[in-house]
Amino acid sequence: MNAHDLSTTLVPSDLYLEIQQFYALQLKILDRGDGEQWARTFTEDGVFQAADMPDPLVGREILVKAIERQSARHEGLVLRHWSGQLTVERIDDDTVRAQSYVMVYVTPDRTLLSGEVHFRHHTLCEDELVRANGTWLVRKRFVETDGEYK
Amino acid sequence: MNAHDLSTTLVPSDLYLEIQQFYALQLKILDRGDGEQWARTFTEDGVFQAADMPDPLVGREILVKAIERQSARHEGLVLRHWSGQLTVERIDDDTVRAQSYVMVYVTPDRTLLSGEVHFRHHTLCEDELVRANGTWLVRKRFVETDGEYK
Amino acid sequence: MNAHDLSTTLVPSDLYLEIQQFYALQLKILDRGDGEQWARTFTEDGVFQAADMPDPLVGREILVKAIERQSARHEGLVLRHWSGQLTVERIDDDTVRAQSYVMVYVTPDRTLLSGEVHFRHHTLCEDELVRANGTWLVRKRFVETDGEYK
C-alpha cells in the first residue's frame, strides 16, 4: 500500500477526519458488543479476514454471529479497542484504503478491587472503505495480530 | 449519548479538531501537575464527577486542590494521560458532548535504571463542553474507570 | 514551549492534520525498519537528540545507520510506535514546533503461541518541523524517555 510512503499526497482534512471518526464510532460499537450495529458498519457483502482465520467472514449475518460469540467470551471483562497511526489512501471519490494500528485491552469487571488492565494484543488493520449514504462502510478488512504464528 | 451511533451525523472537521486539540492540551497540563491552569480548563462552576466519588468536585478552587493532592501522591512518578477514540455530539453552536477513552500511565522517575511503564487504568470520559472566549471549557465531566467496583 | 498553554491559539485544521498524518507515516516507516526512507523525513542536516545520548545524530547518512543498528537489535520483534497528544505551535508559514507523546511496544514474532505485547517505554518528542516540497521534514528532534536517569 503506497499510502504509507511519504511521497504519497496527504489526503484532505475532511476525508481524513471522516475516516478517523468512523473508526472511533465503529470500535466503540464493538466494545459495547452490539453485533447488529457493528455489522451495519460493513457493506451487505462485507468481508472480514484475519491472518489466522482459515476462511473470511462474509456478509452482515455472519459478522453479527461472530460478535455474539466474542461477547460471550468477554463476559465479565471491559473490552477496549484503540485505533491510531491512521494513514489513508484515496482510490476514488467513494473508495479509500485505510491502514491503522489497533490496540486491544481488557479489564476484569465487577471486582471488589480495581481490575488490572491487560494488553491483549496489537494488530495491524487494513481496510477498503466505501462511501454510502453519507457515511463510510467497510467492504473488506484484513487484520493481522502482532507476533502471531504465520 | 446518541453520538456513538453511526446514524449520527459526523461533526465538521474544525469542530472535531478543536475538541481534539483541547484534550491534548488539557491532559498535558494535568500531567505537568499544574492545578491552577487545569482548573481554568473548566468553567467557573465546572463539575468533576467520578463513578467512585461520593460527591462531585464543583468549582475551580476545589479542582485546584484536588490536583495538588494528586500531584503529591505522584511524587517521583512521570504521569501520562492519553485521550483517544473521541466522538463528539453537537448540542448547539457553543455546546458539545464529547466521549473519549483515556489511558493513564505512570513511570517511576529518578531511577538509575530505566523505569518500567505501569498502565494504571483505563477510563471512559464523558464531558459537556462549552465555547467561551475562543476556547472550550468543561462544564461537566463524568469519569468511569474500567473494572471499578460499582 | 507556549503551545501547551490553553491561552495559545489552536492551529488551523489543515495544518494540524498535516502534522498528524506526518507522524502516522513517519512512525510506520520506522516500525518497518526502513532507514533510508526514515532519514528522508528529516532535512539533509536534520538533528536527532535523545536526552540520554552524549551527542546528537546529525545528517541523513548518520540517521540511516542509527536505524540499521536499531533494526538489528529488533530482529524477531514486531516494533510499534504510537504518536498522540499532539500539540502544534506555528512559528511561521513553513515552520512549526510540535510536541507529542510516543509509546513504543514490541511483540516477539515467529512464535508458535501468540506473543505478549511489551510496553517498552513512553517518550516525550519535541520537534521543529519545516515545510519543504509539499511535505514536512524534521529539522530538529529532541526525545526524552519517561523515567530515564538524567
Side-chain angles (χ1 to χ4, degrees), chain C residues 34-50:
Chain C
D34 186 344
E36 289 285 347
Q37 201 180 4
W38 186 74
R40 285 198 297 273
T41 65
F42 285 75
T43 59
E44 283 285 355
D45 58 350
V47 175
F48 182 103
Q49 171 81 57

Side-chain angles (χ1 to χ4, degrees), chain B residues 35-97:
Chain B
E36 289 285 348
Q37 202 180 0
W38 186 74
R40 286 198 296 273
T41 65
F42 285 76
T43 59
E44 282 286 355
D45 58 350
V47 175
F48 182 103
Q49 171 82 59
D52 63 343
M53 285 164 53
D55 297 301
L57 305 173
V58 182
R60 290 181 176 168
E61 203 175 325
I62 287 174
L63 292 170
V64 172
K65 287 197 185 115
I67 295 305
E68 286 171 356
R69 279 195 304 272
Q70 179 180 281
S71 294
R73 283 200 308 272
H74 287 143
E75 191 67 32
L77 296 173
V78 182
L79 180 64
R80 301 295 184 194
H81 284 77
W82 279 66
S83 171
Q85 301 303 106
L86 173 66
T87 44
V88 178
E89 182 188 13
R90 187 180 211 157
I91 306 303
D92 60 42
D93 279 359
D94 297 319
T95 315
V96 300
R97 284 202 200 110

Side-chain angles (χ1 to χ4, degrees), chain C residues 40-106:
Chain C
R40 285 198 297 273
T41 65
F42 285 75
T43 59
E44 283 285 355
D45 58 350
V47 175
F48 182 103
Q49 171 81 57
D52 63 343
M53 285 165 53
D55 298 299
L57 305 173
V58 183
R60 289 180 177 169
E61 203 174 324
I62 286 175
L63 292 170
V64 172
K65 287 196 184 116
I67 295 305
E68 286 172 354
R69 278 194 304 273
Q70 180 180 281
S71 293
R73 283 201 308 274
H74 287 143
E75 190 68 32
L77 295 173
V78 182
L79 180 64
R80 300 295 184 195
H81 285 77
W82 278 66
S83 171
Q85 301 303 106
L86 173 67
T87 44
V88 178
E89 183 187 12
R90 187 180 210 156
I91 306 303
D92 61 42
D93 278 358
D94 297 320
T95 315
V96 300
R97 282 201 202 110
Q99 193 197 60
S100 52
Y101 286 0
V102 179
M103 300 187 285
V104 187
Y105 297 105
V106 290

Side-chain angles (χ1 to χ4, degrees), chain A residues 18-36:
Chain A
E18 282 172 26
I19 306 301
Q20 195 175 88
Q21 291 186 69
F22 172 80
Y23 283 114
L25 287 162
Q26 197 202 30
L27 294 178
K28 283 182 177 173
I29 290 167
L30 183 57
D31 289 344
R32 289 202 305 260
D34 186 343
E36 288 286 347

Side-chain angles (χ1 to χ4, degrees), chain A residues 2-22:
Chain A
N2 289 328
H4 317 303
D5 294 339
L6 273 179
S7 52
T8 309
T9 309
L10 301 182
V11 297
S13 299
D14 288 347
L15 175 59
Y16 190 80
L17 283 185
E18 282 172 26
I19 306 301
Q20 195 175 88
Q21 291 186 69
F22 172 80

Side-chain angles (χ1 to χ4, degrees), chain A residues 27-144:
Chain A
L27 294 178
K28 283 182 177 173
I29 290 167
L30 183 57
D31 289 344
R32 289 202 305 260
D34 186 343
E36 288 286 347
Q37 202 179 2
W38 186 74
R40 286 198 296 272
T41 65
F42 285 76
T43 59
E44 282 286 355
D45 58 350
V47 175
F48 182 104
Q49 171 82 58
D52 63 343
M53 283 165 53
D55 297 299
L57 305 174
V58 182
R60 289 180 177 169
E61 202 175 326
I62 286 175
L63 291 169
V64 172
K65 287 197 185 115
I67 295 304
E68 286 171 355
R69 279 194 304 273
Q70 180 180 279
S71 295
R73 282 200 309 272
H74 287 144
E75 190 67 31
L77 296 173
V78 182
L79 180 64
R80 301 295 184 194
H81 285 78
W82 279 65
S83 171
Q85 301 303 107
L86 173 67
T87 44
V88 177
E89 183 187 11
R90 187 180 210 155
I91 306 302
D92 61 42
D93 279 358
D94 297 320
T95 314
V96 300
R97 282 200 202 111
Q99 192 198 61
S100 52
Y101 286 0
V102 179
M103 299 188 285
V104 186
Y105 298 104
V106 290
T107 310
D109 198 2
R110 297 177 216 143
T111 55
L112 199 69
L113 300 168
S114 282
E116 283 283 309
V117 184
H118 175 66
F119 194 148
R120 176 168 288 182
H121 50 237
H122 186 288
T123 70
L124 183 69
C125 176
E126 299 194 300
D127 279 355
E128 186 178 309
L129 298 167
V130 292
R131 197 195 296 273
N133 304 322
T135 184
W136 289 89
L137 299 173
V138 179
R139 181 149 65 194
K140 195 168 182 187
R141 170 164 295 177
F142 181 76
V143 175
E144 192 171 355

